[in-house]
Each structure stands twice: as C-alpha cells, then as structure tokens.
C-alpha cells in the first residue's frame, strides 16, 4: 500500500470515531428509538426487506438476539414481519411508514446538527471536505464490502 493511502487510512480511523462520538448522543436522544443500536438495523432495512438470518448475519448477532430486537421494533411500529409468499417458514422483515419517518427525522436532525458544527469552517475548507467526501463515496461504493 502506498504511503498516501496509509496516511489517509490512518486519518480516517482517527476522525470517524471522533465524528461518531460527537453525533451519537444527538442522533439517538430525540429519535425515540427504544435502543440507540436499533438505528443501524432500521437503516439496513432502507435497502429493502430482509429475512431474519440475513439481518443476524449482517449485524453479527445470533438469530434469537435478532428475533428479540425485531420483536421490540415491531412493538414500536418501526418494522413488520411478513411470511414470504414462496416459503411460509421464511419471515421477511421490512420497514413500516413509521420506521421510514423515524429514519427521516433522525437524518434531518443529524444533518442540521452537522451543519451547525461545520458552519464556522471556512468556505474553502468546506469545499475541500465535500470533494474529499466524494472521493470516499466513490472508493466505498466501488469496493466489494464483506
């Protein structure tokens, strides 16, 4: 790996946790989620319905743990379980309109909070940040993720 790539990777590993520590309390407190960790699960369901096994594997938890989490999210109206039409033993999990609305609110709140944090940054630095984020988006959308 070249030196610039290593330096960029090191900087990302230092900056991303700092960003998440700053945002984590603000993302979850106004959201009304029963557990802040549920945000990532709801976000994964934006891609479309998943079965329980896919979600458990994707989030590295056991099937019973994922089932309990889904039950909690169902009770709050954020997701719904549906039997697959092709195999009644398979259960499909999908976002409800309430779940989509919750994610939309979290995103709007977080975006406003980030804009507030970035407001004092110079216009030139904001342009550089936007360009750098575009590079990251391309790198991570063209790379196969495990």
């Amino acid at each position: 790996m070249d030196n610039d790539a290593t330096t960029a990777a090191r900087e990302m590993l230092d900056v991303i946790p700092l960003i998440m520590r700053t945002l984590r309390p603000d993302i979850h407190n106004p959201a009304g989620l029963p557990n802040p960790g549920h945000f990532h699960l709801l976000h994964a369901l934006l891609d479309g319905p998943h079965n329980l096994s896919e979600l458990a594997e994707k989030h590295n938890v056991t099937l019973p743990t994922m089932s309990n989490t889904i039950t909690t999210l169902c009770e709050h109206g954020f997701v719904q379980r549906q039997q697959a039409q092709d195999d009644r033993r398979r259960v499909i999990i999908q976002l409800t309109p309430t779940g989509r609305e919750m994610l939309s609110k979290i995103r709007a709140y977080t975006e406003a909070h980030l804009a507030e944090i970035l407001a004092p940054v110079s216009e030139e630095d904001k342009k550089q940040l936007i360009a750098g984020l575009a590079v990251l988006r391309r790198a991570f959308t063209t790379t196969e993720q495990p």
Side-chain angles (χ1 to χ4, degrees), residues 127-141:
K127 287 178 184 174
Q128 288 180 10
L129 176 61
I130 291 167
L133 291 169
V135 170
L136 285 176
R137 180 182 301 275
R138 284 191 305 274
F140 283 91
T141 55

Side-chain angles (χ1 to χ4, degrees), residues 77-118:
F78 299 139
V79 301
Q80 65 183 9
R81 284 182 165 107
Q82 241 179 353
Q83 288 182 327
Q85 291 181 350
D86 61 338
D87 182 353
R88 294 181 56 85
R89 294 170 296 174
R90 209 169 104 227
V91 175
I92 302 297
I93 312 301
Q94 59 187 12
L95 279 175
T96 63
T98 302
R100 287 186 186 285
E101 183 179 332
M102 173 63 66
L103 285 172
S104 180
K105 285 180 183 179
I106 293 169
R107 183 178 176 96
Y109 181 85
T110 304
E111 185 177 304
H113 184 67
L114 278 170
E116 195 176 294
I117 290 170
L118 294 172

Side-chain angles (χ1 to χ4, degrees), residues 15-101:
V15 171
I16 290 171
L18 175 62
I19 293 168
M20 294 313 296
R21 272 195 308 273
T22 302
L23 291 178
R24 185 165 283 125
D26 294 318
I27 289 173
H28 303 301
N29 285 342
L33 286 175
N35 177 326
H38 294 165
F39 171 76
H40 300 290
L41 177 57
L42 291 175
H43 196 270
L45 290 168
L46 273 176
D47 295 338
H50 288 71
N51 68 44
L52 206 57
S53 297
E54 291 169 339
L55 291 172
E57 184 177 320
K58 190 173 196 172
H59 293 276
N60 202 26
V61 297
T62 64
L63 278 172
T65 298
M66 183 55 67
S67 182
N68 289 337
T69 300
I70 294 301
T71 297
T72 300
L73 292 172
C74 284
E75 289 169 355
H76 285 82
F78 299 139
V79 301
Q80 65 183 9
R81 284 182 165 107
Q82 241 179 353
Q83 288 182 327
Q85 291 181 350
D86 61 338
D87 182 353
R88 294 181 56 85
R89 294 170 296 174
R90 209 169 104 227
V91 175
I92 302 297
I93 312 301
Q94 59 187 12
L95 279 175
T96 63
T98 302
R100 287 186 186 285
E101 183 179 332

